[in-house]
Amino acid sequence: MSDLLLLDGAPLPMVDAMLLRATSYGHFTSMQVRDGHVDGLDLHFKRLDRSTREVFGRPLPEDRVRADLRAALDQAGSGDLSIRMNVFADDDLHLLTRVGPPVAAGTGSLRLLAYQHERAVPHLKHTGTFGLTYYARAAKQAGYDDAVFHTATGELSEASIWNICFARGTSIVFPAAPVLNGIRQQVLQRGLAAFETTPIRLADLSTYDAAYLTNSIDPALPVAAIGSVTYLPHPESAETIATAYTSQEAQPI
């Protein structure tokens, strides 16, 4: 017999079971599209190809990804979108593209609670996100906005769905612990005249002037606190980051 899927006991005859592979063993990238342009689009192409070679042992050409992105734009009928592209495979390689409305960047600052947690193969943006969701939920139950992670030796690494960076004056510092090198983080680093990558320990958090979260939605979301360590608005570093982003033009699909 063919695969059978049920939701709350009711059959789902129109769902292809093969697509479930996209949420078990695979990788993905997410992007915000504005007027048909994407920040760091070339970096998305490189991520998808590099990860596909590592996870599935075959390349994912840029032309194929771009064609699927253009098809998504044609189907959506709008140049402003949120797009997530999942890569999975059976005998063939598949791209599952999910298109939704654009998401505006956050305007507040977040209070984070630190947990010891290290993602498996953290350099890959893979579909194993249970731990991220689990700790984010735990942080919210404890009265915080989200979770940030540290290693067993107390080095800060990344937040649940963000990279994190810190500032001393106008100097921007990134954690040296193993993390996913996010696209927006790479765009920021491209635009900075200089930056530092160094171990950032829990015990040293109060020595920094500010902290910021970056991802495809939020280019520089201020951190208000990590546990009991608080950060006030810091115009000097905020301006440094804003100037770095301004220097990097979005790329057309």
Side-chain angles (χ1 to χ4, degrees), residues 32-236:
Q32 293 293 310
V33 182
R34 298 293 183 267
D35 192 27
H37 290 63
V38 176
D39 288 336
L41 182 61
D42 64 316
L43 298 171
H44 285 283
F45 292 142
K46 290 176 182 177
R47 165 190 277 173
L48 289 172
D49 180 58
R50 182 176 60 249
S51 298
T52 302
R53 290 174 186 270
E54 180 171 346
V55 174
F56 298 114
R58 65 193 88 173
L60 179 55
E62 175 182 325
D63 289 348
R64 178 177 175 184
V65 179
R66 192 185 294 273
D68 281 23
L69 285 171
R70 288 176 174 170
L73 286 178
D74 291 342
Q75 289 290 323
S78 170
D80 289 359
L81 303 165
S82 297
I83 291 182
R84 169 169 165 154
M85 304 188 84
N86 275 71
V87 183
F88 64 107
D90 44 25
D91 292 335
D92 299 312
L93 195 65
H94 302 280
L95 269 173
L96 176 64
T97 305
R98 187 178 73 194
V99 181
V103 180
T107 56
S109 55
L110 297 189
R111 297 173 62 251
L112 306 176
L113 187 57
Y115 293 91
Q116 181 182 332
H117 175 65
E118 298 178 60
R119 291 192 306 114
V121 286
H123 63 285
L124 293 176
K125 193 174 180 69
H126 56 75
T127 55
T129 57
F130 176 88
L132 308 184
T133 304
Y134 177 88
Y135 287 111
R137 182 174 182 271
K140 291 174 183 177
Q141 289 179 319
Y144 290 79
D145 298 305
D146 217 311
V148 67
F149 304 127
H150 64 85
T151 67
T153 59
E155 285 189 39
L156 260 286
S157 55
E158 57 193 353
S160 65
I161 57 171
W162 292 277
N163 286 118
I164 190 168
C165 63
F166 293 80
R168 283 196 177 115
T170 58
S171 298
I172 307 302
V173 184
F174 296 88
V179 299
L180 174 71
N181 192 9
I183 301 300
R184 185 79 75 166
Q185 174 173 277
Q186 294 179 65
V187 172
L188 172 58
Q189 291 173 343
R190 277 180 170 177
L192 291 168
F195 62 88
E196 184 179 357
T197 301
T198 191
I200 297 176
R201 303 189 182 280
L202 286 169
D204 298 331
L205 292 181
S206 62
T207 68
Y208 293 93
D209 296 318
Y212 299 92
L213 300 170
T214 68
N215 66 9
S216 63
I217 298 171
D218 298 300
L221 192 61
V223 174
I226 300 176
S228 62
V229 177
T230 59
Y231 299 103
L232 297 173
H234 191 250
E236 297 93 332

Side-chain angles (χ1 to χ4, degrees), residues 10-21:
L12 292 173
M14 299 304 294
V15 177
D16 187 340
M18 182 183 70
L19 296 182
L20 296 180
R21 295 192 182 101

Side-chain angles (χ1 to χ4, degrees), residues 187-193 238-248:
V187 172
L188 172 58
Q189 291 173 343
R190 277 180 170 177
L192 291 168
E239 177 62 25
T240 297
I241 290 173
T243 299
Y245 279 130
T246 301
S247 71
Q248 303 299 301

